Amino acid sequence: VSASVVVWHDLECGRYSADLPLWRALADREAGPILDVGAGTGRVALDLARHGHTVIALDRDPELLATLEERGDGAVATVLADAEGFDLAEARFGLILVPMQTIQLLSDRPAFLRAARRHLIEGGLLAAALAEALEGFDPQTSALPAPDVARHEGWVYASQPVAVRERPGRSTIERIRTTLAPDGARTAEPDAIDLAHVTAASLAREAAPFGFTAEPPGRIEATDEHVGSEVALLRA
Ligand SMILES: C[S@@+](CC[C@H](N)C(=O)[O-])C[C@H]1O[C@@H](n2cnc3c(N)ncnc32)[C@H](O)[C@@H]1O
């Protein structure tokens, strides 16, 4: 039995909350509706909907979106699409959010920026969180960060970061995902995520040709479990 994509997603992303005050403040201040890009199981989208905002959640993973719909009880509409070149016909948004470094996962950022600009009203805002430089650590010499652990239907799931490898233009975060079955059987599988190096300044330069003007970036402070983020604010 392999763990579902939802369990790992909730385990590795679902508990972060340091960014929510910033997204709520932007949602209160900017025009709507809001498009949440890479919404996953709706950590941000459902929070903003609970605060009275109209949110559309876009992701390319159907299982994550199905879970979001269930948890939101229909309060948040979902769109199954690739962020790199989505087309929502005539839909226009006052605010497009890309939380949790998702923009650094994209391989074609220009395609995303073009699509985002087309779906923003004049004067709308694109806000994207960007992880601050991750320090490469070597498990031989540094203490490992604590694993994320969850229990689900008698199973235990643990995700342990083991290395951050720096390469030109990208960082690879390596984890070991361990499951412990109710009968004691254990599995361990490596998982790696590649994050492109993107700063608010570099994104501003990339976004300018698509009609965005950069505003001073926002900030999300580091927590014990997460590095801090810059939040690029790009005005259409
Ligand atoms: C780090 S998670 C963030 C989830 C959620 N926004 C949060 O902050 O908790 C990244 C999400 O982006 C989605 N994603 C990654 N690449 C994507 C793409 N090209 N198009 C659409 N969604 C994508 C993944 O499926 C995943 O749900």
Side-chain angles (χ1 to χ4, degrees):
V1 181
S2 75
S4 85
V5 61
V6 172
V7 175
W8 290 119
H9 177 86
D10 283 346
L11 178 59
E12 292 167 357
C13 303
R15 297 169 185 181
Y16 182 56
S17 61
D19 58 343
L20 295 177
L22 184 138
W23 307 130
R24 290 175 195 154
L26 288 178
D28 287 344
R29 176 186 102 183
E30 300 291 329
I34 300 166
L35 180 67
D36 179 10
V37 174
T41 55
R43 188 181 64 83
V44 175
L46 295 177
D47 179 79
L48 295 178
R50 280 193 290 270
H51 282 79
H53 300 287
T54 302
V55 189
I56 312 292
L58 180 148
D59 205 285
R60 66 175 175 190
D61 189 308
E63 285 185 67
L64 298 181
L65 288 183
T67 303
L68 185 158
E69 282 182 4
E70 218 176 276
R71 291 179 184 170
D73 222 357
V76 170
T78 63
V79 178
L80 180 64
D82 195 318
E84 298 171 21
F86 59 94
D87 180 2
L88 311 183
E90 301 307 312
R92 294 295 177 271
F93 301 90
L95 179 61
I96 298 182
L97 302 180
V98 196
M100 248 191 149
Q101 299 88 41
T102 301
I103 201 166
Q104 294 170 263
L105 299 172
L106 305 181
S107 46
D108 191 351
R109 278 192 309 279
F112 165 71
L113 290 167
R114 183 181 297 107
R117 178 63 191 86
R118 191 168 85 71
H119 290 83
L120 277 171
I121 58 171
E122 275 311 308
L125 187 73
L126 169 62
L130 306 165
E132 282 172 349
L134 303 156
E135 277 169 48
F137 68 85
D138 178 348
Q140 303 301 327
T141 56
S142 356
L144 290 173
D148 295 311
V149 180
R151 285 172 180 76
H152 183 69
E153 294 174 356
W155 288 65
V156 181
Y157 300 88
S159 176
Q160 170 73 66
V162 289
V164 179
R165 307 217 182 268
E166 296 298 337
R167 287 182 289 130
R170 21 198 357 103
S171 304
T172 304
I173 304 170
E174 298 176 1
R175 295 171 164 266
I176 303 286
R177 289 173 165 181
T178 306
T179 64
L180 183 61
D183 66 4
R186 185 183 285 270
T187 66
E189 279 178 20
D191 181 69
I193 330 168
D194 247 3
L195 287 183
H197 294 164
V198 182
T199 64
S202 73
L203 193 63
R205 285 191 296 275
E206 273 179 4
F210 299 102
F212 286 104
T213 307
E215 297 189 348
R219 238 201 92 68
I220 302 163
E221 293 304 327
T223 66
D224 288 347
E225 279 141 34
H226 288 269
V227 296
S229 299
E230 259 194 316
V231 182
L233 300 176
L234 301 167
R235 183 70 65 186

